[in-house]
Amino acid sequence: MRTVVCAEPGHMTLEQRDPPSCGEGEALLRIRRIGVCGTDIHAYGGNQPYFSYPRVLGHELAGDIVEVGTAGDPELIGQRAYVIPYLHCGQCRACRNGRTNCCQRMQVIGVHRDGGMCDTLAVPLDHLVVSDTLELDQLALVECMAIGAHAVRRSELTHGELAVVCGAGPIGMGVAQLARERGARVVVIDTNPERLAFCRDKLGIELTLNPSENDIDAALKTLSDDELADVVFDATGNPAAMQAGFDLAGHAGRYVLVSIVKADITFSDPVFHGKELTLLASRNATRVDFDEVTRLMESGRLKADAMITHRAELADVPERMPAWCTPATGVVKAMIELDDSPRQSTTGAPS
């Protein structure tokens, strides 16, 4: 089968490998869609923690179930499904407490073990979710949106609170939409005017700020009667921005770090204590978050597929990946397609 391998930072190859076998408790998924996310981009650039090379990337996955292992339900064959890519041990303290997203022995498909940039992948049956309603593109985006759902749930955001989302990439866009579902007033901050316009025009996020054009502190104080944000979410993947986010939260506020970077993050302890801030990390997502996103997608309340701006067939990924990692190309979300009859690769914007 075809397999795209990230051999080392900045270098991908198309290889032929033997297809996987289907073990007990597993299913074979014929991959149909692969969303390219920030984790893949950081891994390609050599900036992803918990990572080693060579590695087959890809964890935003959707496809058709073509085989089930021993004791598996044969009626699953032929159904469409998405993948929950976080393989947890079920035994550590985090798992015992229902926090499977931060398992002590976590194995993420496409990060710790080879992922879905291939024709067929063996996946544990309990990590596949079937849907008769969602299209393939939507199925491949559930994981991305679940990251946002988990961050918002971690924050305990409530109706009417001011939520500031720093970073208008796909994760930030997901956080913003899920925060809006909680009834919060949502502000998105980014230095990219095209991304901010996308949030306004495509996602309906009315309040956006650009640090290059706006006084962020003054704007947030105006929106909050000088009290700043109730909750700040960082989805920038930028250490400087992550440190600056502490200043955007008001007294008794919460700061949720959705981004993860290979860097140390520092803050002023007197300011942190003076505001009595709550600092939270948000890693991955749980089944509860996936179920919430699935429900909202099926009801049409989330505009996840609007984020897809670029497309390519699997064989073209090594050539396309450098452009997808370049902000100037206008990529919001790239989607890899694997169809029965491979069609010419297309893009929603220049590749």
Side-chain angles (χ1 to χ4, degrees):
M1 67 175 183
R2 300 173 303 167
T3 305
V4 173
V5 181
C6 188
E8 59 187 19
H11 181 59
M12 281 183 153
T13 61
L14 179 65
E15 300 179 2
Q16 291 291 331
R17 292 188 175 183
D18 293 333
S21 58
C22 186
E24 183 177 357
E26 292 184 326
L28 288 185
L29 189 70
R30 179 182 177 276
I31 304 297
R32 298 287 301 280
R33 295 290 187 275
I34 309 160
V36 178
C37 82
T39 297
D40 302 317
I41 291 172
H42 291 155
Y44 180 78
N47 301 312
Q48 178 64 29
Y50 319 128
F51 200 85
S52 61
Y53 303 86
R55 178 68 68 221
V56 180
L57 304 179
H59 63 273
E60 296 181 0
L61 307 173
D64 302 316
I65 299 173
V66 295
E67 184 180 341
V68 295
T70 306
D73 184 355
E75 292 188 3
L76 291 172
I77 295 175
Q79 296 197 50
R80 289 180 174 178
Y82 67 78
V83 176
I84 299 177
Y86 320 125
L87 307 183
H88 57 279
C89 72
Q91 300 174 348
C92 70
R93 179 173 59 194
C95 288
R96 294 196 306 270
N97 291 334
R99 303 276 292 277
T100 56
N101 59 296
C102 59
C103 168
Q104 187 174 344
R105 290 174 280 275
M106 174 67 70
Q107 292 284 297
V108 179
I109 294 172
V111 178
H112 304 95
R113 61 170 63 187
D114 283 347
M117 287 193 185
C118 55
D119 286 309
T120 308
L121 186 69
V123 181
L125 274 167
D126 58 2
H127 282 66
L128 286 173
V129 182
V130 300
S131 173
D132 296 326
T133 305
L134 298 181
E135 300 294 332
L136 284 168
D137 284 349
Q138 294 175 307
L139 289 170
L141 292 171
V142 172
E143 191 272 345
C144 174
M145 300 298 286
I147 298 291
H150 185 73
V152 171
R153 186 161 63 89
R154 285 276 284 157
S155 75
E156 299 183 345
L157 185 68
T158 60
H159 187 279
E161 288 191 309
L162 181 62
V164 172
V165 181
C166 301
I171 297 298
M173 291 178 185
V175 171
Q177 292 187 73
L178 270 299
R180 183 173 58 189
E181 285 298 314
R182 290 286 184 103
R185 294 180 297 145
V186 180
V187 180
V188 176
I189 299 175
D190 201 284
T191 57
N192 187 321
E194 288 77 19
R195 289 287 182 94
L196 295 179
F198 188 96
C199 289
R200 294 190 300 268
D201 300 340
K202 301 294 185 181
L203 305 181
I205 305 296
E206 297 179 359
L207 299 175
T208 63
L209 297 171
N210 187 334
S212 301
E213 302 172 357
N214 306 112
D215 184 329
I216 303 300
D217 183 76
L220 293 183
K221 286 181 176 178
T222 298
L223 291 168
S224 63
D225 294 328
D226 287 337
E227 293 184 341
L228 295 173
D230 295 291
V231 183
V232 177
F233 299 92
D234 179 84
T236 64
N238 181 292
M242 294 167 77
Q243 292 179 184
F246 286 89
D247 295 331
L248 306 181
H251 284 250
R254 289 96 76 197
Y255 187 20
V256 185
L257 296 179
V258 191
S259 297
I260 180 170
V261 294
K262 293 172 68 173
D264 293 332
I265 306 300
T266 63
F267 55 86
S268 167
D269 189 55
V271 172
F272 184 77
H273 273 80
K275 292 182 177 180
E276 199 182 45
L277 296 178
T278 299
L279 178 63
L280 296 162
S282 181
R283 184 185 183 192
N284 300 328
T286 67
R287 180 60 186 262
V288 171
D289 307 308
F290 279 88
D291 288 345
E292 180 183 10
V293 168
T294 302
R295 175 181 61 81
L296 291 172
M297 275 192 176
E298 290 179 340
S299 66
R301 296 188 63 84
L302 295 183
K303 301 177 181 179
D305 48 345
M307 300 188 302
I308 301 172
T309 55
H310 291 60
R311 295 180 185 271
E313 217 278 331
L314 180 67
D316 296 329
V317 171
E319 177 185 354
R320 295 291 181 87
M321 194 69 175
W324 291 345
C325 297
T326 305
T329 60
V331 178
V332 176
K333 170 68 69 174
M335 184 66 68
I336 302 168
E337 302 176 329
L338 296 82
D339 290 329
D340 291 322
S341 301
R343 65 191 183 191
Q344 185 178 358
S345 300
T346 61
T347 60
S351 64

